[in-house]
Amino acid sequence: MASSPDVPSAGNIPENPGSDTPSEVPDTGGERRGRVRARRAAVMAVPATLIAAGLAVLTAQGALGVQFAISGMPFTVTATELNGTGFEQFGALDNMADGSPNAGDTGGQVLVVTSAIKSATLTKLCQSVDLGGTNLLITAGGGKDKVSATDLTTDSTVLSGNAAFNHIEIGNDASTLDKAGVKGPLGVFSQQADTVRIADLRQTNYATTAGVFKLPGLHLGFSDKGC
């Protein structure tokens, strides 16, 4: 995550050579940069807030995480049950492409909870994207075969469900995580566990990646309703 360039303060405006008057510096969006810096500072607090809310979690950025510019359009993911081996979670920032029409006043960044699962299965997976008046709807894993994924990562802003963990560690430095093969930023609060189970999972995501993603019974279409 690149840091924002420094902006000259009001008392340190460079002077023109040979002039007694400080040169006029155009407004380059100081307020916008201030908001971005505030979001960076908030990254470290997000996982702690989620833990206090009941550890309703799912999935990551870091070494294997999002390396692409996100569209800035959120999508919903639900599953009746998720089971995973090798779980990690920490806070991060996702970035939109320069000039994205979805940036609004965010500076093109979205504060997310990133989590990683080394190996996962999901029952009755549903994913939907609101396209304005209609939804792109994807379903899979509704039969005898479940959806499966390896090196699964997701970046989320909302997560809910009924979660259970085995051998959980809370308060790790994100750069030291070793359960799912993903390392987060140095100095960022994180957690990890040997296994995770989430019933009635519901997420609002901005990005998902996986090494292998198997979707038995896949169906894609348009619908008046999302997941």
Side-chain angles (χ1 to χ4, degrees):
M1 293 178 284
S3 61
S4 300
D6 293 333
V7 179
S9 63
N12 294 281
I13 299 175
E15 296 182 356
N16 285 330
S19 171
D20 294 331
T21 306
S23 57
E24 184 177 342
V25 178
D27 182 0
T28 56
E31 291 184 4
R32 172 176 167 274
R33 289 189 177 88
R35 289 194 297 269
V36 172
R37 290 194 182 99
R39 292 189 185 94
R40 289 196 176 98
V43 164
M44 300 172 71
V46 171
T49 302
L50 290 177
I51 290 169
L55 294 172
V57 289
L58 223 211
T59 299
Q61 188 170 322
L64 295 178
V66 175
Q67 301 294 330
F68 52 84
I70 63 170
S71 70
M73 295 178 64
F75 54 96
T76 299
V77 174
T78 65
T80 57
E81 185 176 5
L82 176 146
N83 286 280
T85 300
F87 169 82
E88 301 172 358
Q89 184 187 53
F90 52 89
L93 288 167
D94 282 351
N95 294 278
M96 302 177 202
D98 291 342
S100 172
N102 299 319
D105 62 354
T106 67
Q109 294 183 318
V110 179
L111 179 63
V112 294
V113 175
T114 65
S115 315
I117 301 180
K118 188 64 178 177
S119 178
T121 60
L122 300 99
T123 304
K124 294 185 179 179
L125 174 70
C126 178
Q127 177 178 303
S128 62
V129 184
D130 186 351
L131 302 177
T134 190
N135 292 272
L136 177 62
L137 187 69
I138 297 173
T139 58
K144 62 181 182 67
D145 295 323
K146 299 178 182 179
V147 171
S148 62
T150 61
D151 297 323
L152 176 67
T153 72
T154 68
D155 288 4
S156 312
T157 54
V158 177
L159 309 108
S160 64
N162 298 306
F165 302 89
N166 283 330
H167 300 112
I168 190 168
E169 302 170 3
I170 301 172
N172 310 61
D173 188 292
S175 68
T176 67
L177 297 176
D178 58 10
K179 299 293 186 181
V182 175
K183 294 187 182 299
L186 178 67
V188 171
F189 186 101
S190 70
Q191 62 183 15
Q192 64 177 359
D194 287 346
T195 66
V196 59
R197 177 185 179 274
I198 305 176
D200 301 321
L201 171 70
R202 187 173 190 87
Q203 296 176 279
T204 300
N205 292 344
Y206 277 85
T208 297
T209 66
V212 176
F213 208 0
K214 296 182 179 180
L215 299 163
L218 173 67
H219 180 270
L220 183 153
F222 293 98
S223 173
D224 292 338
K225 297 182 179 179
C227 298

